[in-house]
């Protein structure tokens, strides 16, 4: 074939083009993204103007980049992709902690950075927001440490680079990074690739091999068990895993990072955190002859400081992009395909369902003690009040370790950060969760020390029209740190705030503030929150400084022992 014969499409009709910013925006819409979180800066204004032309994309401006990153993280947990937009240098570094948390917790956040013009970079210009050394790659190198893919866009490859980063984030369920120079944001690129949605593919032979292996392994099993981790939620496959377990009778336990992911209609045997939370689930896994780890991560806190069973030659594990048997890697199998293969492997099999027991550690339904609030009485009242069909967000510290003992009502989405454990995450996460999943009312449990870190996002939450219930557990400082070490150290103290004034000021009066120091006051405040369904309700719970939930006390003991 001649060169002339090979190019009829190019010569017969013009190529449709779009700006790089529009190309990015249209790819995001194809991925189900409707909101962009971030902070504007001079290097990203051309990019933001271009994104604004894409129908269905709404800008959500935050008080700072850290809060925007936390919000994008929570959004991605529900939608499968979240987008954070910052400016070069100062903006992206402010967000780096949030992005690192997304990497640790397997959350697909696309971090889009507006960066200096290509000519300025080529010339090594000494610009603001740089280290004034002519090296423009400092921050891209930093991003690479917490990103599954990093791309600095060029005019000639921008569309291809955008596709690679978006697909990588969605496939691996981890952050990806795009640096978009000012001049590249407005450049024109071929729009033709947009006609084909992005999709990754497994190795078909590896999928078949995995299915055969699991079927053979389970054919000899008498006591199999599934341990479900947070990747099940990240891929939105909780209902599918529940269906597999329900049909086969295989019991399922969930890590504390995946609470509520399978619902109560599956043969659910309880939450798993070694022997810290429910020893019965630990015993169930220990006795199993085949253990199916579905999207788990085995950190110290998630395994009860090593008291959970470790993987062995009878352990099958499904990861984001591969499957393993013991220490053997079985091939490139994407998580959804691996779960599909697992479902086919157990089809027609049946095991005796396990009747779930009562967790050894939990808040009872006994009436809360009257009088001044304690950790025990507060959590008992919260347990009795907690509505169904909500999103329960618990921040690191007293809030998280108290909430772990709550029984989750029907159709409750659980949001926590037990791997990265960044104090203050959950308050901005309300913004992302609420926008991603507007049918569920967010309920936030957070300590006063954590809230002081990110409380300015309360204004963003109110401006977005969200109506969460915020329960502030005020024990005058970092009580989790006091429990771990040096309880009387002044570095664990925080300033006393006028929380009513703070809440009123940040929300512009678009909220209700209630203070509770006794059980009667908290009961009344929670009842009022139920009635005020369409309003932001802030409940200020006043607790003793050194009073902690039992699980937090146990955590402190384990952490002390781990330090030797």
């Amino acid at each position: 074939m001649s060169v002339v014969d090979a190019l009829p499409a190019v010569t017969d009709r013009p190529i449709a083009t779009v700006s790089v910013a529009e190309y990015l925006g249209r790819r995001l819409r194809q991925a189900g993204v409707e909101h962009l979180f971030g902070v504007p800066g001079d290097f990203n204004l051309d990019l933001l103007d271009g994104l604004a032309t894409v129908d269905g994309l709404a800008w959500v401006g935050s008080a700072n980049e850290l809060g925007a990153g936390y919000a994008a993280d929570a959004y991605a947990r529900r939608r499968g992709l979240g987008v954070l937009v910052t400016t070069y240098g100062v903006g992206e570094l402010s967000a780096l902690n949030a992005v690192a948390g997304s990497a640790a917790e397997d959350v697909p956040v696309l971090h889009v950075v507006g960066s200096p013009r290509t000519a300025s970079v080529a010339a090594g210009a000494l610009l603001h927001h740089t280290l004034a050394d002519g090296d423009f790659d400092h921050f891209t190198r930093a991003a690479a440490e917490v990103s599954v893919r990093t791309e600095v866009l060029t005019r000639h490859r921008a569309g291809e680079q955008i596709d690679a980063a978006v697909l990588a984030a969605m496939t691996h369920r981890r952050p990806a990074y795009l640096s978009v120079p000012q001049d590249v944001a407005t450049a024109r690129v071929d729009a033709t690739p947009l006609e084909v949605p992005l999709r990754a593919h497994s190795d078909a032979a590896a999928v078949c091999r995995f299915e055969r292996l699991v079927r053979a392994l389970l054919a000899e099993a008498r006591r199999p068990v599934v341990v479900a981790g947070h990747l099940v939620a990240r891929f939105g496959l909780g209902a599918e895993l529940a269906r597999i377990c329900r049909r086969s009778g295989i019991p399922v336990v969930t890590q504390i990072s995946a609470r509520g992911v399978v619902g109560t209609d599956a043969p659910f045997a309880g939450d798993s955190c070694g022997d810290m939370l429910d020893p019965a689930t630990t015993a169930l896994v220990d006795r199993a002859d085949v253990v199916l780890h579905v999207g788990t991560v085995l950190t110290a806190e998630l395994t009860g400081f090593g008291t959970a069973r470790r993987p062995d030659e009878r352990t099958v594990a499904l990861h984001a992009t591969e499957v393993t048997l013991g220490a053997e890697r079985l091939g490139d199998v994407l998580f959804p395909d691996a779960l599909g293969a697992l479902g086919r492997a157990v089809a027609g099999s049946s095991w005796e369902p396990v009747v779930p027991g009562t967790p050894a550690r939990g808040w009872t339904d006994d009436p809360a003690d009257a009088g001044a609030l304690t950790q025990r009485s507060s959590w008992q009242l919260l347990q009795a009040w907690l509505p169904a069909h909500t999103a329960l967000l618990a921040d690191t510290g007293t809030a998280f370790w108290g909430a772990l003992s709550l029984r989750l009502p029907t159709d409750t989405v659980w949001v926590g950060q037990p791997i990265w454990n960044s104090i203050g995450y959950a308050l901005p996460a309300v913004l992302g969760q609420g926008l991603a999943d507007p049918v569920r009312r967010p309920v936030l449990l957070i300590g006063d020390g954590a809230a002081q870190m990110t409380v300015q996002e309360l204004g963003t939450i109110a401006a977005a029209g969200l109506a969460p219930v915020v329960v502030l557990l005020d024990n005058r400082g970092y009580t989790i740190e006091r429990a771990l070490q040096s309880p009387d150290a002044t570095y664990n103290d925080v300033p006393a705030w006028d929380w009513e004034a703070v809440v009123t000021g940040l929300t512009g009066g678009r909220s209700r503030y209630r203070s509770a120091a006794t059980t009667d006051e908290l009961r009344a405040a929670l009842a009022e929150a139920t009635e005020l369904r369409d309003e932001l309700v802030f409940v200020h719970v006043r607790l003793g400084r050194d009073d902690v939930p039992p699980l937090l006390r146990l955590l402190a003991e384990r952490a002390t022992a781990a330090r030797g």
Side-chain angles (χ1 to χ4, degrees):
M1 181 182 292
S2 70
V3 173
V4 174
D5 292 336
L7 301 175
V10 175
T11 57
D12 287 351
R13 63 183 178 86
I15 297 175
T17 65
V18 293
S19 73
V20 168
E22 183 181 349
Y23 187 101
L24 172 60
R26 288 172 62 178
R27 276 301 190 208
L28 298 178
R29 288 295 296 119
Q30 288 177 352
V33 174
E34 295 179 346
H35 298 86
L36 307 175
F37 301 89
V39 177
D42 56 339
F43 288 133
N44 68 21
L45 298 181
D46 289 324
L47 171 66
L48 291 178
D49 286 342
L51 289 169
T53 67
V54 179
D55 289 340
L57 279 181
W59 172 254
V60 184
S62 284
N64 59 50
E65 292 86 357
L66 179 63
Y70 288 153
D73 177 288
Y75 189 92
R77 292 176 185 228
R78 298 303 298 161
R79 289 294 185 95
L81 185 67
V83 181
L84 168 65
V85 184
T86 67
T87 196
Y88 178 82
V90 294
E92 59 184 311
L93 292 185
S94 291
L96 190 58
N97 175 45
V99 178
S102 298
E105 303 255 341
D106 298 298
V107 182
V109 171
L110 181 67
H111 187 185
V112 184
V113 177
S115 55
R117 298 181 180 279
T118 52
S120 299
V121 174
L126 305 184
L127 302 179
H128 65 290
H129 296 344
T130 75
L131 301 185
D133 61 358
D135 183 349
F136 287 84
D137 293 330
H138 286 296
F139 314 129
T140 303
R141 292 194 293 267
E145 293 293 327
V146 294
S147 304
V148 71
R149 183 144 191 156
T150 59
E151 296 282 352
V152 179
L153 299 193
T154 66
R155 287 175 175 268
H156 301 297
R157 297 184 55 244
E160 173 190 340
Q161 291 173 292
I162 289 170
D163 289 354
V166 172
L167 186 59
M170 296 175 65
T171 301
H172 294 268
R173 287 311 198 253
R174 289 173 66 83
Y177 173 95
L178 282 179
S179 176
V180 187
Q182 290 170 291
D183 54 312
V184 175
T186 58
R188 308 295 293 184
V189 294
D190 182 5
T192 306
L194 292 170
E195 297 173 6
V196 180
L198 299 175
R199 186 182 176 192
H201 298 276
S202 297
D203 179 339
V207 174
C208 293
R209 179 184 176 220
F210 173 68
E211 183 178 333
R212 289 196 303 269
L213 185 149
V214 173
R215 181 178 286 111
L217 197 63
L218 289 175
E220 303 173 355
R222 296 294 177 267
R223 300 181 306 278
V225 66
V226 167
V227 181
H230 60 256
L231 275 180
V232 179
R234 301 293 184 270
F235 283 95
L237 291 173
E240 176 63 14
L241 179 60
R243 183 188 67 81
I244 292 171
C245 293
R246 185 170 59 251
R247 289 185 176 183
S248 65
I250 299 179
V252 55
V253 303
T254 54
Q255 290 191 301
I256 59 174
S257 57
R259 298 192 74 204
V261 71
V262 295
T264 56
D265 58 340
F268 175 59
D271 294 318
S272 173
C273 187
D275 64 5
M276 285 185 62
L277 188 63
D278 187 355
T281 62
T282 302
L284 179 66
V285 176
D286 286 344
R287 291 195 303 267
D289 49 11
V290 174
V291 182
L292 301 166
H293 275 267
V294 183
T296 62
V297 175
L298 305 179
T299 64
E301 287 79 6
L302 296 187
T303 61
F305 286 88
T307 57
R309 174 176 170 175
R310 306 300 294 182
D312 53 33
E313 68 279 0
R314 305 286 292 178
T315 301
V316 176
L318 284 63
H319 307 286
T321 58
E322 66 177 13
V323 289
T324 59
L325 172 60
E328 181 186 1
R329 184 178 181 276
L330 302 178
D332 297 324
V333 181
L334 302 181
F335 189 84
D337 295 332
L339 191 61
L342 175 62
R344 293 189 297 272
V346 302
S349 301
S350 181
W351 287 269
E352 189 68 26
V354 171
V355 178
T358 301
R361 300 182 178 93
W363 303 112
T364 68
D365 292 323
D366 297 336
D369 297 334
L373 285 170
T374 63
Q375 287 285 339
R376 181 177 181 274
S377 62
S378 298
W379 289 107
Q380 285 179 307
L381 289 169
L382 286 167
Q383 179 69 85
W385 165 80
L386 192 61
H389 313 296
T390 61
L392 181 62
L393 300 95
D395 206 279
T396 296
T398 301
F400 184 85
W401 291 94
L404 278 183
S405 293
L406 291 173
R407 297 184 307 282
L408 298 183
T410 303
D411 191 30
T412 299
V413 170
W414 167 262
V415 182
Q417 205 190 42
I419 300 173
W420 189 240
N421 275 314
S422 189
I423 293 176
Y425 161 81
L427 197 152
V430 168
L431 176 63
Q433 165 66 37
L435 292 175
D437 190 8
V439 300
R440 287 185 178 84
R441 189 183 195 185
V443 175
L444 170 64
L445 307 173
I446 189 168
D448 55 319
Q452 287 192 14
M453 288 191 172
T454 53
V455 73
Q456 56 267 58
E457 295 303 335
L458 201 63
T460 318
I461 291 167
L466 301 179
V469 178
V470 178
V471 179
L472 181 82
L473 304 173
D474 186 351
N475 42 27
R476 304 191 301 282
Y478 301 124
T479 294
I480 185 171
E481 312 296 359
R482 291 179 179 135
L484 292 171
Q485 185 172 319
S486 304
D488 296 319
T490 57
Y491 52 67
N492 285 324
D493 299 335
V494 298
W497 281 12
D498 182 340
W499 282 101
E500 182 173 12
V502 169
V503 172
T504 301
L506 288 174
T507 64
R510 291 171 292 190
S511 61
R512 298 289 185 99
Y513 169 89
R514 294 293 180 265
S515 177
T518 68
T519 54
D520 287 343
E521 290 172 346
L522 179 55
R523 187 181 291 107
L526 294 174
E528 185 177 19
T530 300
E531 295 298 321
L532 300 174
R533 172 78 189 177
D534 298 322
E535 293 191 45
L536 191 162
V537 180
F538 191 101
V539 181
H540 180 190
V541 179
R542 302 174 186 273
L543 296 165
R545 197 199 75 157
D546 298 312
D547 190 12
V548 298
L551 273 178
L552 181 52
R553 183 67 65 194
L554 182 59
L555 171 72
E557 293 171 0
R558 293 288 173 85
T560 300
R563 291 197 303 267

